[in-house]
Amino acid sequence: MPVSSIPLRLWLLPVLLFVLGAPLWLHRFEPAMFVAINHLCAPVAATVWTGLSLLGNAWAVLGVTAPLLVLAPRLMWAWLCAAPFAVVFARVGKGLIESPRPAALVDNDQIRIVGETLHNVSMPSGHTLTAFAVASAIYFSLPQQGRKRHLWLFVLAAGTGLSRIAVGAHWPGDVVVGLSLGLLAGMLGTRLLARMDTKHLQPTAWSLRLVALLVAVSAYFLATEAQDFDENQPLQYALVLVVLASLWRFVQQNRAAQTSSLSNR
């Protein structure tokens, strides 16, 4: 499967960001920095931050990227290949590091907390990690020529990271570590994608049909359960419509492919 190569200097970027962010994840400037950023974000409506956080939720990401099943299955596979790395990085980090959340150390009356008040398992920010894994996997799977036009993917991912501070869920250091690990997960995902057979891009492939089934499952959870915040439910219902429309078009693609195959026999 053709995937554009990633220059060596870009492979060093996650490490560089991790090292440069050391003063943050070592909490040299906390809690003052967290409080300052949380206060700066407070004038913005909570629904903006909860909506951005949704981009780091796995079920929501499936909903947002559902159209790729039809329009660009290779890009769908790109972030799905990055997902296992993201899960491992997040689970290992949260399992090994017992880091208290801001609400456990900062007077809750002095900060803005949206949704459930969380107290532990802070490092790294899983939502930020997920958002950057998806953004980097898709970005580096695009043709190198014209790729820069899609830097907005990282802007959205950065918005997800900022939202985790805005809702009172994570320290800036958690976000920086999530960012660096997410970039690495996405880049590793592109390497895994390069080893996949192109047959998995066909709408009739059993593997892509399994992905479609997973997307359908996401519609169920988006329709029946609030993902992270109650404020997100209107967005979730909109994503359900996106999923249903994408699945309908995917079924049509399958029928067309099967009809064409029969006619060529």
Side-chain angles (χ1 to χ4, degrees):
M1 189 176 292
V3 178
S4 300
S5 61
I6 302 175
L8 177 60
R9 67 180 185 279
L10 292 182
W11 281 101
L12 298 175
L13 183 59
V15 178
L16 179 62
L17 291 173
F18 182 83
V19 172
L20 291 177
L24 297 179
W25 50 261
L26 289 174
H27 297 289
R28 292 293 178 86
F29 304 113
E30 302 298 358
M33 178 176 284
F34 164 78
V35 173
I37 297 175
N38 184 269
H39 284 179
L40 285 173
C41 294
V44 179
T47 51
V48 173
W49 301 121
T50 59
L52 285 169
S53 278
L54 197 60
L55 295 176
N57 177 283
W59 295 124
V61 172
L62 281 165
V64 170
T65 59
L68 295 178
L69 267 176
V70 177
L71 302 175
R74 189 168 70 89
L75 299 183
M76 187 75 170
W77 276 119
W79 81 259
L80 287 172
C81 286
F85 298 105
V87 170
V88 170
F89 292 159
R91 295 296 183 187
V92 171
K94 290 182 181 293
L96 295 179
I97 305 172
E98 294 186 8
S99 176
R101 302 253 186 175
L105 300 179
V106 181
D107 182 356
N108 291 188
D109 292 331
Q110 302 301 314
I111 58 177
R112 183 193 202 184
I113 297 176
V114 181
E116 181 184 358
T117 301
L118 304 173
H119 293 94
N120 50 36
V121 197
S122 187
M123 174 72 75
S125 166
H127 284 72
T128 306
L129 200 161
T130 299
F132 273 95
V134 173
S136 60
I138 292 176
Y139 181 81
F140 289 114
S141 297
L142 290 167
Q144 194 161 4
Q145 192 171 26
R147 183 186 285 169
K148 290 184 179 179
R149 294 199 305 268
H150 300 278
L151 284 171
W152 57 268
L153 289 166
F154 295 108
V155 175
L156 284 179
T160 299
L162 182 60
S163 75
R164 303 310 291 162
I165 303 173
V167 300
H170 281 286
W171 305 101
D174 301 337
V175 171
V176 169
V177 174
L179 183 161
S180 58
L181 291 178
L183 282 176
L184 180 58
M187 294 164 79
L188 289 171
T190 64
R191 295 301 88 206
L192 186 58
L193 178 68
R195 297 176 179 274
M196 291 181 63
D197 195 298
T198 55
K199 68 182 182 181
H200 296 290
L201 299 179
Q202 303 305 316
T204 53
W206 64 266
S207 53
L208 197 59
R209 287 177 175 177
L210 284 178
V211 173
L213 179 61
L214 184 61
V215 170
V217 172
S218 77
Y220 170 79
F221 285 105
L222 289 169
T224 59
E225 296 181 8
Q227 301 299 315
D228 303 320
F229 304 95
D230 290 337
E231 291 88 344
N232 281 337
Q233 287 191 313
L235 284 176
Q236 290 176 215
Y237 296 144
L239 287 178
V240 170
L241 295 178
V242 171
V243 168
L244 294 178
S246 300
L247 290 175
W248 175 249
R249 185 70 187 94
F250 182 74
V251 170
Q252 289 182 318
Q253 264 191 346
N254 265 262
R255 288 176 176 172
Q258 290 173 337
T259 300
S260 176
S261 177
L262 290 172
S263 63
N264 291 331
R265 288 182 181 179

